[in-house]
Amino acid sequence: MSEEHALQALEEVRQQLRTDVSSELLREILRIEQEYAFDADPDLALREIERIIEAHLRGGDAG
Amino acid sequence: MRLLSLRLHNFMPYKGEHEIRFPVVDGRNVTIVYGDNMRGKTSLLNALRWALYGKVVGRHLRPIPLIHILNKDAERERDFTVRVALTFVHDGSDYELIRTMRPKDLIDTPKEDGHFELPPPSLKRGGVPVSGHLVDHEINQILPESISRFSLFDGELLQEYEQLVAEATTESDKIKEAIEKVLGVPTLLNARAHLAEILHRAQKLFEREGLKDSKHGKLIQETNNLLEDAKREVDRLTSLVDEARSNCDQLDDKLKKYQRAESVKSHVEENRVQQNNSKAARDRAIDRRRELAPRAWLALVSTAVAEKRERMQAEFSDALTEFVTYVEQRTAHQYRLRSLQAGQCVVCEASLTDQSRSALREKVDATDEATDSGLSNLATQLTSAARQFDRIKGLGAQGVAEDLLHAEREIDRCNVELTRLQQREDALLSEIPGVDLADLGRTREQRDLWQREIGKLETNLASKQSERHILQKKYDAAVKMAATGQQGASKLIGDKVTLLSSLSELFASSVDNLRHRLRTDVQAAATQTFKRLTTETQYRGLVINDRYGLEIRDHLDRTVSVRSAGAEQIVALSLIDGLNSASGKTGPLVMDTPFGRLDLKHRAHVLGYLPEMADQVVLLVHEGELSPERDLSHVSNHVAASYEIQRVSPTQSTLARR
């Protein structure tokens, strides 16, 4: 929908705060939120994000 | 999403089976459905809503009881099943969605909503059924109900729409929420909330794992305490800023009403000046009529007076001729008398003979008496005629009738003008009922106070956010140091806390940035559309506010505060187009009675632009608002199909291809 807008806003703030978080991870979190935005169970998105973050950390990149 | 077809069975006026197709071929993306009022245009829109969301709404979006969606004739014939089947394409897949309503078992004759059962809708994607519990999820992925108001809409609501958006009400909050859903703001808000929760859990776990007892434990705990305090303070200040902004918004809304009232008031004052001018003109005409009235009778006798004047003039002329004759005779008499006395002619000086003397004597004697009495009579006649003439001369009625008529016409004209101006004043005053302009100054003062308060709070908030950011960095560093050298699960938890802290802060700080970015995009896109649709070429464009309300700016960049119903519709269409453009949405646009309030020029502009507004446009119209002869040429190159809703009976309609 407007993932690009959200991603651009995040990128802008990331540069301001000089936070070292990968764009892929941000994009992945947005994708999950969009996919589960209208789901009756809000915890689905939460669990999926947590899973992605843990997978991301296990992959060796701590952000 | 692109609609393919809609099949109805016993749905509202459509008894039995009916089908409408929505083709899109060779750049032709408009389907037009003509139908008179009460024939079933809105029922088609409702059929789409019911198929997608199981809801049917009436005027002002009020829900319609389900018992009323069953066709009355079918009900009489004891066919109580209602079914709507919608086929569409989305992301390259074909979908078929079927929703059915039928009587519950053991209910012989359903009389109320509770007597019907509504099985879960059946949805097939590419011919494969979608599992029942995922149907709503799938539909909400394709066209979420909360944002369907920007795809499936009733033109009659358009002009109310902008007002709803502009004013701080519960309904406007809902619309703002729906708009932000279109634009994807909740994605960021949800992510922020989810990340905060995951972080909180990870921190607890981190503490439980005993890392606080490590050499860095004390520092982590202290920093965390400070960080938590800073977060609470940021939340408190954020909530105060929101509250202050909300108060300021409400006062701004009030001021807008006042501005509108002021604008109306200035029109009323202008109107009253015109009324006073008209009253003065009428008073002058009344004075003139009063002045002319005593002489009005002259107009009635003017013909008789004119005749009398002519007659007297003739008599006077006759008397004068006679007088001249007498004067000539008297002069001749004097000559004769002097000649007799001198014994010679006083003209030629010839001596008088006895004969001529005797003839002269006779003439002198005969003339003397007659001449004197004639002159006396004539003098009396002439004096009398002159007196009468003098009297009648003052009775000139020239122009009195015309002047009177002119005065009467002026009085009538002024009365008509005064009635018109009074009606206009009443209409203007009815636009601002109950607005107390005396409160304007106080409201401005309060708004200014809140703005100053917002300024102070924002400064404090920025400082606290900066403090929180520094503490967050300290905390992250402490966690990182603590995690260094840790192995396995403990290290993972430490890394997780650090990463989640960064992500939480990033998402939290991005929400306002995204809102600003989106508002800017919506404003730019809506302005572009507005300039295409409006007939006023001098308008500079639209300006968006925090509530996604749009103001029209004139050529001097002033807000146009008084807007017609047609202008409201144009602004609402611009907003919808701006939202769709900013969200990158490509759904169908189904519009019910969208042109009712537009004049011919605006209608032509909207029709010309509609095919560009969406990949697919379905217009549900009556011929009064979209005449096939007059208006269709603006869009005819884009029309892929036309239907007509034909009356079968008062409770039945059918769809026919045109």
Side-chain angles (χ1 to χ4, degrees):
Chain A
M1 204 174 285
S2 55
E3 187 188 331
E4 283 309 313
H5 281 295
L7 204 58
Q8 281 168 13
L10 284 165
E11 284 290 345
E12 212 169 271
V13 175
R14 188 174 72 148
Q15 281 169 22
Q16 282 167 13
L17 297 179
R18 294 178 192 162
T19 309
D20 185 19
V21 179
S22 73
S23 292
E24 288 70 26
L25 183 58
L26 297 179
R27 195 184 286 276
E28 195 63 11
I29 292 170
L30 288 176
R31 184 194 62 74
I32 292 166
E33 286 296 353
Q34 278 183 1
E35 196 176 325
Y36 294 95
F38 300 100
D39 203 280
D41 180 5
D43 283 349
L44 272 179
L46 187 138
R47 286 198 294 272
E48 186 62 11
I49 289 172
E50 190 162 19
R51 192 187 65 73
I52 289 289
I53 286 172
E54 282 173 0
H56 185 80
L57 288 170
R58 283 200 189 92
D61 178 10
Chain B
M1 179 192 194
R2 183 161 64 77
L3 304 173
L4 296 176
S5 71
L6 181 69
R7 274 199 325 278
L8 315 165
H9 177 81
N10 290 344
F11 189 87
M12 301 184 100
Y14 301 99
K15 179 175 173 278
E17 290 285 329
H18 298 264
E19 187 182 36
I20 179 168
R21 293 187 167 274
F22 308 102
V24 173
V25 277
D26 302 330
R28 291 174 177 263
N29 61 343
V30 179
T31 299
I32 302 181
V33 182
Y34 285 101
D36 292 340
N37 292 337
M38 313 286 290
R39 289 280 77 85
K41 293 192 298 295
T42 306
S43 300
L44 289 177
L45 187 64
N46 268 323
L48 285 168
R49 279 199 193 108
W50 195 61
L52 289 163
Y53 315 114
K55 286 178 186 165
V56 179
V57 295
R59 289 181 71 84
H60 306 298
L61 298 177
R62 288 195 192 98
I64 291 176
L66 291 175
I67 182 82
H68 294 317
I69 71 171
L70 172 62
N71 179 265
K72 297 296 165 204
D73 292 344
E75 189 181 0
R76 263 198 303 278
E77 292 172 17
R78 305 193 58 75
D79 179 359
F80 300 115
T81 301
V82 178
R83 190 171 48 251
V84 174
L86 176 68
T87 60
F88 57 90
V89 178
H90 181 67
D91 273 353
S93 299
D94 285 336
Y95 285 81
E96 184 187 45
L97 174 66
I98 301 175
R99 197 177 287 269
T100 309
M101 177 177 89
R102 59 184 174 235
K104 283 180 177 168
D105 289 346
L106 305 177
I107 298 286
D108 180 57
T109 307
K111 300 272 185 206
E112 58 189 56
D113 284 9
H115 292 167
F116 289 97
E117 70 169 341
L118 293 156
S122 140
L123 181 68
K124 285 182 186 169
R125 181 177 52 210
V128 179
V130 173
S131 198
H133 70 285
L134 291 175
V135 170
D136 285 342
H137 174 82
E138 185 87 12
I139 292 170
N140 271 315
Q141 286 290 317
I142 297 165
L143 185 63
E145 184 189 350
S146 56
I147 62 172
S148 64
R149 65 169 80 210
F150 303 112
S151 280
L152 316 175
F153 63 84
D154 178 350
E156 285 178 9
L157 288 178
L158 272 183
Q159 75 273 8
E160 295 170 25
Y161 185 72
E162 255 305 301
Q163 199 180 352
L164 283 175
V165 172
E167 289 174 5
T169 60
T170 317
E171 186 60 23
S172 79
D173 287 344
K174 279 187 197 163
I175 292 177
K176 183 181 172 186
E177 202 180 307
I179 287 173
E180 295 207 328
K181 272 187 184 166
V182 176
L183 299 172
V185 175
T187 307
L188 223 50
L189 291 172
N190 292 343
R192 183 177 70 176
H194 288 147
L195 288 166
E197 195 175 330
I198 300 169
L199 171 64
H200 184 69
R201 281 193 212 159
Q203 282 172 338
K204 291 289 160 204
L205 191 62
F206 189 65
E207 286 171 16
R208 271 208 307 275
E209 287 292 311
L211 286 172
K212 64 182 177 187
D213 297 327
S214 73
K215 58 181 176 178
H216 301 292
K218 200 176 168 205
L219 175 63
I220 290 171
Q221 196 171 30
E222 279 172 6
T223 316
N224 191 36
N225 288 344
L226 290 171
L227 183 61
E228 286 301 320
D229 286 348
K231 279 180 181 169
R232 272 193 292 276
E233 187 59 8
V234 165
D235 288 346
R236 190 184 72 82
L237 287 167
T238 305
S239 146
L240 285 175
V241 168
D242 287 347
E243 193 185 322
R245 277 192 183 143
S246 165
N247 286 335
C248 214
D249 280 352
Q250 282 176 13
L251 291 169
D252 273 337
D253 287 341
K254 212 170 163 185
L255 282 172
K256 258 188 206 160
K257 277 187 192 160
Y258 285 142
Q259 275 171 0
R260 183 174 166 76
E262 272 192 320
S263 157
V264 169
K265 198 182 155 204
S266 90
H267 284 130
V268 168
E269 278 166 8
E270 201 179 298
N271 178 296
R272 284 186 181 154
V273 169
Q274 289 175 359
Q275 284 190 46
N276 287 338
N277 289 343
S278 284
K279 275 181 192 157
R282 186 181 61 179
D283 289 349
R284 281 195 301 275
I286 289 171
D287 286 349
R288 177 80 183 129
R289 184 176 64 180
R290 194 178 296 125
E291 197 181 289
L292 290 166
R295 297 172 60 210
W297 62 275
L298 286 174
L300 297 173
V301 298
S302 64
T303 314
V305 168
E307 282 171 6
K308 174 78 175 167
R309 196 189 293 122
E310 272 177 35
R311 220 167 36 245
M312 286 180 68
Q313 218 160 7
E315 282 171 14
F316 190 79
S317 174
D318 290 349
L320 200 61
T321 309
E322 205 177 333
F323 183 77
V324 169
T325 309
Y326 274 114
V327 168
E328 283 170 358
Q329 284 175 357
R330 180 89 184 178
T331 306
H333 173 75
Q334 288 296 326
Y335 279 136
R336 287 185 198 115
L337 199 60
R338 276 165 46 204
S339 296
L340 279 174
Q341 283 168 354
Q344 61 177 37
C345 175
V346 292
V347 179
C348 65
E349 295 180 350
S351 296
L352 296 176
T353 62
D354 289 344
Q355 194 183 353
S356 58
R357 193 189 304 270
S358 169
L360 278 176
R361 174 61 61 200
E362 269 177 29
K363 278 187 182 174
V364 166
D365 291 346
T367 309
D368 197 25
E369 206 178 332
T371 303
D372 284 346
S373 69
L375 269 178
S376 170
N377 286 341
L378 274 171
T380 309
Q381 270 182 34
L382 278 171
T383 309
S384 164
R387 265 198 218 113
Q388 281 191 39
F389 201 69
D390 272 352
R391 277 209 301 272
I392 211 165
K393 200 167 64 182
L395 298 180
Q398 190 67 36
V400 171
E402 287 81 359
D403 285 355
L404 263 175
L405 199 61
H406 179 75
E408 285 295 340
R409 280 185 185 148
E410 179 67 1
I411 292 165
D412 287 346
R413 189 192 66 75
C414 290
N415 282 335
V416 170
E417 179 69 1
L418 279 167
T419 308
R420 189 187 69 76
L421 290 167
Q422 188 57 53
Q423 283 171 349
R424 170 91 183 117
E425 181 179 328
D426 292 346
L428 284 167
L429 290 174
S430 73
E431 287 179 25
I432 48 163
V435 176
D436 177 12
L437 286 173
D439 198 28
L440 177 62
R442 286 193 297 274
T443 307
R444 276 204 180 120
E445 216 168 274
Q446 283 175 354
R447 199 266 318 263
D448 292 347
L449 277 174
W450 276 114
Q451 276 186 333
R452 281 199 289 277
E453 183 65 18
I454 290 171
K456 278 187 215 161
L457 285 169
E458 281 180 338
T459 309
N460 290 343
L461 179 60
S463 150
K464 205 37 99 176
Q465 278 171 331
S466 163
E467 190 184 319
R468 184 190 67 178
H469 181 64
I470 292 165
L471 284 167
Q472 185 71 55
K473 289 273 180 200
K474 271 188 184 171
Y475 177 80
D476 291 348
V479 169
K480 231 174 196 170
M481 279 192 282
T484 306
Q486 298 283 339
Q487 296 298 318
S490 298
K491 181 176 187 306
L492 187 65
I493 296 166
D495 288 347
K496 190 172 166 181
V497 170
T498 308
L499 177 59
L500 280 164
S501 298
S502 300
L503 284 169
S504 288
E505 194 186 9
L506 191 54
F507 275 80
S509 305
S510 297
V511 173
D512 283 344
N513 190 5
L514 176 64
R515 282 191 168 127
H516 174 72
R517 191 179 271 276
L518 292 172
R519 272 196 291 270
T520 309
D521 286 359
V522 172
Q523 178 181 300
T527 293
Q528 208 175 354
T529 305
F530 180 74
K531 286 189 166 182
R532 291 275 303 268
L533 299 184
T534 184
T535 52
E536 177 49 73
T537 53
Q538 296 286 301
Y539 282 155
R540 190 162 284 187
L542 300 172
V543 171
I544 200 162
N545 61 27
D546 286 351
R547 313 185 77 81
Y548 298 93
L550 289 167
E551 293 175 354
I552 303 174
R553 290 297 171 92
D554 69 10
H555 61 295
L556 297 174
D557 209 23
R558 295 171 305 195
T559 299
V560 176
S561 53
V562 181
R563 307 198 307 208
S564 66
E568 296 291 0
Q569 238 173 320
I570 293 291
V571 172
L573 277 173
S574 305
L575 175 62
I576 287 169
D577 196 36
L579 290 172
N580 288 341
S581 163
S583 67
K585 207 166 102 9
T586 54
L589 202 56
V590 184
M591 305 169 90
D592 179 15
T593 325
F595 304 115
R597 302 233 172 205
L598 299 179
D599 59 45
L600 291 179
K601 282 183 185 167
H602 277 108
R603 201 175 302 174
H605 285 203
V606 173
L607 274 168
Y609 184 61
L610 270 178
E612 294 176 43
M613 267 184 83
D615 291 343
Q616 185 178 39
V617 178
V618 179
L619 298 175
L620 307 170
V621 294
H622 57 77
E623 289 195 355
E625 62 174 322
L626 185 69
S627 159
E629 295 79 27
R630 185 190 58 209
D631 305 314
L632 208 55
S633 60
H634 302 295
V635 75
S636 56
N637 289 339
H638 297 276
V639 177
S642 289
Y643 286 85
E644 185 177 346
I645 304 173
Q646 294 175 341
R647 179 186 182 277
V648 176
S649 74
T651 46
Q652 266 192 64
S653 297
T654 187
L655 284 160
R657 192 87 189 239
R658 279 168 75 129

